[in-house]
Amino acid sequence: MNLQKSAILLAQNRQSRCWLWRLVAIAGTVTGCPGGWHHWLGGVVGCAPLLALGWDRPWPEQLRHALWVWIPVCGLVFVPDLGRVRVLTAADIVGGMVVAPLLPLLLVGMTMLCWQVAGRFPVGLRPWLVASLWTGVDGLAGSLWLPLPLHWGALIYDWPLGVQVADLGGIWLVTWLLLLLNGALSLVGRLDWRQWLGVLLPLTLALGYGQGRQQDIPRQMAASPSFRVAAPQIVAWFDDDGSWAYRQRQHEQIHRLSRVGIQRGADLLVWPEGALRSPILKTWLQTEVIDPLLLLLPPEGGLLTGASEPASPTTFINAALLFNAQGWLQDRSGKQWLFPYFESSRFIPDPGGYRPLAGGSRLGPLGVLICLESVLPAPSRALVQGGAESLVVISDDSWFGNSRWPLLHASLSVFRAVENRRSVVFVNNTGGNLIVDPSGTIQAQGSLFMPETIVGQVYRFRTGTLASRWGDWWVGVCWLVSAFALWRCRCQQL
């Protein structure tokens, strides 16, 4: 009887420890979400408690741990506040309900893969395999053009020293380094000093490289041509009010915020995707809303805005329009990659492909990314290869309401800047605008849901980087390591 009671108490204590550790893992991963000082801590150690929870356990227990952690995390981070979003249709909501479960399932799959494959190898190899397996799956999603901002490296987006290696291997290399450290921390007490030395060596080299780049890039910026940009946060179209009075209030707000930018010396005004929620060219919006502001700009300045422009009587293009200070449409481009179902039912891809807009002698070639195109490394790389000297992201995340998504979306703009060594201007309908240097340093950042205007300097760079030339080559390295690990596991089973 005493033995039976002891066994019951032991099982209860073990179950309590599991729940406590799950809560620690949930707190660690949620903490890593961009938006506060603690996301650095989440990036460095946030995944370690979850990994530690599952080492050397039976796969059903591992699966339970992963599900109990990732489902709450995704609910806290990704699910929008539907109470603040009244522009979604019933079809949009149903589609979101279908897509939403894919996020935790993908993360559960990545975690299980790390436990099941890396767990079959000696302890000293596990951190390296965790980093390669996780990054390989994450990179596969990017290669398939799935716009999921799940990259662990994004958690240190505003730590310039830590993200400089992105110009070598993209955001994937930053993700790999952080997962290497998290994997090692999950095995604290089981790694000897030589194994720790092996883990800390690449991290030290990455920080040393970052220190050198932080000293070199500002010198290049000082010698580069530049222009001043203003990014008004209009914070518009959160509800379904289509009245003329509502539209007039929004037009007045965007005029007021744009004039603030012009008064602060802006050469270029950038409005977000769907800034006016309507076609603009050859309409009263061009003559009544756009043209009066163009007269206030410097002679070589311009205004860039998103618009829904008709491609035919029945189809539209999600477009970016660049007007010059003389009131003419200087250039235009359209979104190439359309989110399946949500956008593909409304728009068609622009037939012009990825090419920079001709900004003239002052602005230079402008590479414009529309909404989720900035989540993917390939579009910005294509624009830079086509001659873009700076990058602009225009987005509308009002569909996600009061959620973490706009912050996650904005954070990836820092990596597009470092990967390609280009200034990036991120302009969103929800606010949270960013102006990022080619060094990855955030010059200016707006608050979410706060009408204001941020102003900064855009530096025109022409040189390329290893990441902009070779693309996602580090993902290929991770695939090779992962394939070898899977092959060895298969051989052990046989």
Side-chain angles (χ1 to χ4, degrees), residues 1-15:
M1 182 64 71
N2 289 334
L3 288 175
Q4 186 178 7
K5 287 183 178 179
S6 298
I8 292 173
L9 288 174
L10 184 63
Q12 290 175 342
N13 289 335
R14 186 170 180 271
Q15 188 67 18

Side-chain angles (χ1 to χ4, degrees), residues 237 242-252 255 276-292:
W237 316 113
S243 68
W244 169 249
Y246 178 81
R247 297 180 68 88
Q248 190 172 27
R249 287 197 301 272
Q250 298 303 332
H251 299 159
E252 291 171 354
H255 263 239
L276 301 178
R277 279 285 197 272
S278 178
I280 294 175
L281 294 177
K282 299 179 181 179
T283 70
W284 67 271
L285 289 172
Q286 182 175 351
T287 56
E288 300 296 328
V289 180
I290 302 286
D291 288 350

Side-chain angles (χ1 to χ4, degrees), residues 440-475:
T441 301
I442 297 174
Q443 258 191 63
Q445 183 171 11
S447 302
L448 279 176
F449 311 113
M450 179 68 68
E452 60 180 316
T453 302
I454 65 169
V455 179
Q457 204 73 11
V458 171
Y459 299 91
R460 294 168 51 186
F461 272 35
R462 297 182 176 88
T463 57
T465 65
L466 188 66
S468 64
R469 289 191 296 268
W470 288 19
D472 301 331
W473 67 274
W474 188 256
V475 175

